[in-house]
Amino acid sequence: MRKLFFITLASIHTAIILLIPQIAQGATTQKEIGEVCGSGSITNAVGEIIQCKTLLCQESDLSQSENNFCVCNINTESQDCANKYGGDKNEWACVSGTDISNELNYCKKKDGTIKYPMGSKVGITDAFTNPQGVAEQFQSEIAQILQKPQPKINIPGLSFSDIDISKMVTQDKEGQTWLNIPFLGEYISGIYKYAMVILGLIGVIGLIDGGIVWTMSGSTSEGKQQAQKRIVGSLIGITVALTSYILLNTINPELVQFRNLRVLYVRGLDFSDVIGKMDGTGMLISDPNFHHSKPATNATLTDQNIKEVSQKLGLDECLLWAFTHKESGGKLHAIGHDENWTGSKAVGARKDFLLSGKKFSGITFPIPPGTWDNKKHNNYKIDGVVVKNDDGFDLSKPPDYGIDWRFTHGISFLQITIFPNANGPTGQKIQGPNGPEWARRVYGRWYTVTDLLNPDLSIEAAVRFMTHGDSDNSNCSNKQYALDAFKCMSVSEAAMGRALQYYQKCTLTKKMIIRPEDIQKYPAAGSG
C-alpha cells in the first residue's frame, strides 16, 4: 500500500513538472497585430494591455461581436510595425486610426505601403469626410503597383530612382496633392546624356580622321582642303555637343527641364470662396445665434488666401501667416492636444493630465514623483515611454469629437484654444444643433468646435481674434511690435519664441518690428 502511494505521488509530481512550462507558456502567449483581444484584458502598472504584443488593444467600428483588436502602439517608435511586417523600425510609422482603417491604428512605411490591422474601407463618402485617409490608401496601392522600368535596350549610365512614395508625393500651395513619377524624365535625360557622349566620340573620330587625311595628303592641296573641312566640322560638332545645354538653357530654360510626370489625385480645397463673400469687417454670417451642425470637408488656408484676406481687411499679412504656419500649416481640421506637450515650458494642460493619473480611456498610470518641474516632468516616461493621453479626433462623433475635454485643446488652422475649466468667454458649453457643445467667445460671438471646423466661421473667428484679441477692443494687427501683437492674441509664454521666429522668416508684407531683446527673451528653442 505504501509502495502504491509513493508511485502515485511520483506520478503526480512528474505530471506537474511537465505541465507547468506549458501552462506558463499559454499564460504568456501574446497576440499579434490584427488578432482579436478582449476589452477587459489584463493590464500592467502603466495600464497597457498585456494580452497584445504591442501592449495596446483598440476598439474598431466594425459591426461584429468581437471588434477589439491588437494594434501598433504609437509610443513604441514604430518597433511594433517592424516586428510584425519586417524591416527597420525607422522605415515605419504607427499612425492613429481613422475611419478608413476602421478606427484602428495602422502601420505606414516610408515608401507609401500601408498595413491595416483589419483591412480598409474607401467609399464615395470617405473622399469628402476623410480625403487624407483616402489619399494614403491610394498611395499604398500605388506603391504596390508601381515598378521600376526595365528597358529592353540598355543605355549606359541610365538609372531609375528607387520607388519611395513618401518622396514622390508633393503638395502645392493650393493644397493639391500630386504624384510625381520620375521615370520618363530620367529616361529622356539618360538618352540625352548618351547622345552627347556619342556625338562627342564621333567628333573626336572626325578629328583623328581629318588628321590622318592631312598627314597622308602630303603636298596635295585638294587633300589638305578636304582634311581641313573634316577637322573644322568635327570641332564645330564637338563644340555644339558640349555647349548645347548652355545654349538651350540660355534660349529657354524650359527646353532643358526633363520634368517628372505629375498626376493630380487629391484636389485641395482652400478658403477662396468664403473670403470672397466676406464683408469689410470680416463678417460672413450675420446671425450671431447660427451654429453649424457638422464639420465641412477639410481645407487649407493657403498663402494666397492669407494675402487675400489681409489685403481685404488691412491686416498684417505676416501676423496671420506666422500664426497659421506655426500652429497648423493652415489645416482647417487641425486639433492641438495641449495635454501631450513635451517641451520644457509650462503648459497647464500637461501638468493637469499627468497629475490626474488617468487617460481618456480610463487607463490609469502612476503620477510623476516629487515636486512639479516643467523641464523634468513634461517629458515624463514610464518604462522608457513618454506618457501621453489616448484621446483622438473623430469627425463622426460631434459634439465632443472623441476629445478629452478635461484639458485645453486648440481648434482649426489658427488653433483657437478652448479652456474647458474657465467657465467664461474662453471656454464654456453652449446649446448647439448637436446639444451642449464646447465653445469660445471671440468679440461678442460664440464659436462652437463645429463652427471652427467650417471655413466660414473659422476664418471669421480668426479675423475677429486678430483685430480684437481677447479684450474685444484692441486691434492686434496694428501694434508697433510683433511681440505685443502675439500677446494681444493670447500666445502663451511657451509658444512665444516660435511665433516670433515664424514672423521673422515670413516673406509676405510685414508691418511690425521684432526687437533683438524680444528674440533674446523668447528663444525659439524649446518653444511650442
Side-chain angles (χ1 to χ4, degrees):
M1 194 69 181
R2 181 181 295 179
K3 184 178 180 181
L4 181 62
F5 172 76
F6 282 112
I7 291 174
T8 304
L9 186 63
S11 300
I12 294 172
H13 180 264
T14 302
I16 291 173
I17 291 175
L18 292 173
L19 287 173
I20 281 178
Q22 297 181 33
I23 294 171
Q25 184 178 2
T28 57
T29 299
Q30 293 179 308
K31 297 186 176 182
E32 297 281 355
I33 291 175
E35 293 188 44
V36 174
C37 53
S39 57
S41 303
I42 300 173
T43 60
N44 61 14
V46 193
E48 297 165 324
I49 306 297
I50 297 176
Q51 186 182 3
C52 298
K53 281 187 177 181
T54 63
L55 304 180
L56 184 60
C57 179
Q58 216 170 40
E59 182 181 0
S60 73
D61 62 1
L62 295 172
S63 55
Q64 57 189 54
S65 57
E66 294 181 328
N67 65 343
N68 293 286
F69 301 92
C70 293
V71 297
C72 63
N73 196 326
I74 293 176
N75 293 330
T76 61
E77 298 182 348
S78 311
Q79 187 63 56
D80 294 338
C81 298
N83 292 341
K84 172 66 175 177
Y85 304 111
D88 188 86
K89 71 175 185 178
N90 295 320
E91 298 176 353
W92 290 97
C94 181
V95 184
S96 295
T98 65
D99 181 59
I100 300 296
S101 65
N102 299 299
E103 303 301 335
L104 298 172
N105 290 357
Y106 60 93
C107 296
K108 181 178 179 181
K109 206 172 184 180
K110 284 186 176 180
D111 65 3
T113 301
I114 295 179
K115 297 290 186 180
Y116 296 105
M118 295 303 297
S120 64
K121 54 180 180 180
V122 177
I124 295 175
T125 304
D126 299 312
F128 295 97
T129 60
N130 189 3
Q132 182 61 31
V134 174
E136 288 189 348
Q137 169 69 3
F138 291 160
Q139 286 181 31
S140 179
E141 294 174 358
I142 290 169
Q144 296 175 31
I145 296 172
L146 201 60
Q147 296 181 353
K148 277 187 180 183
Q150 300 292 331
K152 292 184 177 180
I153 300 176
N154 185 33
I155 300 175
L158 174 62
S159 63
F160 294 106
S161 301
D162 292 330
I163 296 174
D164 187 343
I165 296 296
S166 63
K167 294 180 180 178
M168 295 168 69
V169 172
T170 58
Q171 192 175 63
D172 59 24
K173 292 183 178 180
E174 285 70 44
Q176 299 180 135
T177 303
W178 297 84
L179 176 65
N180 301 277
I181 304 175
F183 305 135
L184 179 60
E186 291 172 345
Y187 188 71
I188 295 173
S189 178
I191 292 175
Y192 174 78
K193 292 175 182 177
Y194 185 62
M196 291 300 101
V197 171
I198 296 299
L199 289 175
L201 287 175
I202 293 173
V204 171
I205 292 171
L207 281 175
I208 295 172
D209 181 58
I212 293 173
V213 172
W214 182 290
T215 302
M216 298 295 292
S217 63
S219 58
T220 306
S221 59
E222 184 179 349
K224 288 184 177 181
Q225 288 178 358
Q226 186 180 3
Q228 187 177 14
K229 288 181 180 178
R230 291 186 183 183
I231 293 172
V232 172
S234 297
L235 288 173
I236 292 173
I238 292 172
T239 302
V240 171
L242 295 178
T243 60
S244 60
Y245 181 90
I246 299 174
L247 291 171
L248 290 173
N249 188 62
T250 302
I251 296 169
N252 185 355
E254 294 293 323
L255 296 174
V256 292
Q257 296 295 325
F258 302 113
R259 296 183 179 277
N260 297 333
L261 178 63
R262 299 177 74 221
V263 180
L264 175 65
Y265 73 100
V266 177
R267 185 174 298 279
L269 299 176
D270 63 11
F271 285 61
S272 296
D273 290 342
V274 295
I275 292 172
K277 299 173 184 177
M278 185 178 283
D279 66 16
T281 66
M283 182 177 290
L284 279 160
I285 297 178
S286 58
D287 181 4
N289 296 316
F290 170 83
H291 297 289
H292 284 287
S293 60
K294 60 182 180 179
T297 302
N298 200 5
T300 302
L301 186 73
T302 66
D303 287 0
Q304 182 60 35
N305 292 157
I306 291 173
K307 293 179 68 174
E308 289 171 357
V309 69
S310 298
Q311 292 171 6
K312 188 170 188 175
L313 303 176
L315 305 175
D316 186 315
E317 294 178 10
C318 280
L319 180 62
L320 181 55
W321 185 93
F323 218 113
T324 299
H325 283 266
K326 181 189 88 70
E327 296 291 351
S328 68
K331 303 302 181 187
L332 175 65
H333 289 174
I335 302 295
H337 297 267
D338 295 345
E339 74 272 26
N340 291 333
W341 163 261
T342 57
S344 60
K345 302 293 178 66
V347 174
R350 180 63 173 165
K351 180 179 179 181
D352 293 342
F353 166 63
L354 291 178
L355 294 183
S356 74
K358 187 176 182 180
K359 298 184 180 182
F360 180 62
S361 62
I363 293 175
T364 59
F365 57 87
I367 65 174
T371 305
W372 181 264
D373 182 343
N374 299 317
K375 294 181 180 180
K376 175 182 177 182
H377 290 129
N378 280 349
N379 200 36
Y380 176 53
K381 298 179 181 180
I382 296 179
D383 295 335
V385 178
V386 176
V387 178
K388 291 187 177 181
N389 202 0
D390 55 8
D391 63 336
F393 175 52
D394 189 340
L395 287 170
S396 66
K397 296 180 180 179
D400 288 341
Y401 296 100
I403 296 173
D404 191 345
W405 285 108
R406 294 178 296 166
F407 313 109
T408 59
H409 287 81
I411 311 296
S412 192
F413 72 91
L414 205 66
Q415 289 290 279
I416 294 178
T417 303
I418 294 178
F419 294 81
N421 299 318
N423 195 28
T426 57
Q428 184 174 305
K429 278 195 171 184
I430 66 171
Q431 192 64 30
N434 299 308
E437 183 172 1
W438 287 106
R440 175 163 180 161
R441 186 171 66 86
V442 182
Y443 190 43
R445 176 170 185 153
W446 286 97
Y447 294 90
T448 65
V449 174
T450 305
D451 290 339
L452 296 175
L453 296 175
N454 281 271
D456 50 8
L457 290 184
S458 179
I459 189 70
E460 182 183 287
V463 168
R464 285 172 174 247
F465 207 68
M466 286 185 64
T467 53
H468 298 282
D470 271 341
S471 63
D472 287 352
N473 58 10
S474 175
N475 192 331
C476 302
S477 186
N478 285 347
K479 302 293 183 183
Q480 182 179 3
Y481 300 109
L483 176 64
D484 295 334
F486 286 124
K487 285 183 177 179
C488 175
M489 295 175 68
S490 300
V491 175
S492 67
E493 294 279 316
M496 188 62 74
R498 284 186 69 236
L500 292 172
Q501 180 191 48
Y502 271 82
Y503 187 86
Q504 193 172 36
K505 71 179 184 180
C506 172
T507 58
L508 303 183
T509 303
K510 294 185 178 78
K511 294 183 179 181
M512 295 178 287
I513 301 169
I514 294 182
R515 296 164 295 194
E517 56 266 30
D518 296 337
I519 298 295
Q520 186 176 3
K521 183 176 180 181
Y522 299 101
S527 176

